[in-house]
Amino acid sequence: MIQTLNAPQPSGPYSQGVQSGNFIFISGQDGVHPNGDSAGDTITAQAAASLENIKSILAEKNAGLSNIVHMTCHLADLNEENVREFNNVYASYFEDVEIKPARITIGSQLLGVKVEITAIASIN
């Protein structure tokens, strides 16, 4: 189990992350700050908060965004404008990562947030 105070605490019976062998599986991170406050009502703010939470969980195992091999990105309202806004934030986090993660972006019914992101990372 991976646990940090630098990301929101689980709101149910799950871990922030789990390491299995050389892989880290990160539970869905919503657009909220570690203290549980909303990052705001925009895709931009929520995507940034989600990615910061993922970075914080990875940091507990001395890993970073460059270790991510796959991401599933959930948007509450999947349309071209929201995907474009999401991609702008996402691209800014991965601009220095040579090999970008494999990714899927899907429309999902989310509870009170616009963005939720899960990640799988590989570490040595």
Side-chain angles (χ1 to χ4, degrees):
M1 180 175 83
I2 302 170
Q3 183 70 30
T4 180
L5 295 176
N6 297 319
Q9 299 308 295
S11 60
Y14 60 89
S15 301
Q16 289 173 321
V18 174
Q19 182 176 350
S20 179
N22 289 337
F23 289 97
I24 296 173
F25 299 86
I26 298 176
S27 293
Q29 296 300 306
D30 298 334
V32 297
H33 296 298
N35 66 3
D37 289 345
S38 171
D41 287 334
T42 66
I43 298 283
T44 298
Q46 290 192 18
S50 297
L51 291 164
E52 287 296 326
N53 293 333
I54 288 169
K55 283 174 55 176
S56 294
I57 294 166
L58 288 170
E60 289 297 308
K61 293 295 182 176
N62 297 315
L65 295 178
S66 63
N67 295 98
I68 297 175
V69 295
H70 187 269
M71 299 186 87
T72 301
C73 305
H74 302 264
L75 299 181
D77 185 7
L78 188 66
N79 62 55
E80 284 187 43
E81 182 180 331
N82 286 347
V83 171
R84 188 172 25 259
E85 185 177 348
F86 178 80
N87 278 337
N88 286 336
V89 176
Y90 185 92
S92 72
Y93 276 81
F94 289 93
E95 65 187 358
D96 294 331
V97 176
E98 183 179 349
I99 300 173
K100 311 296 190 244
R103 181 185 115 181
I104 185 170
T105 303
I106 57 175
S108 296
Q109 187 174 355
L110 301 174
L111 297 174
V113 295
K114 295 181 178 185
V115 176
E116 183 174 21
I117 305 172
T118 66
I120 299 170
S122 176
I123 57 174
N124 293 328

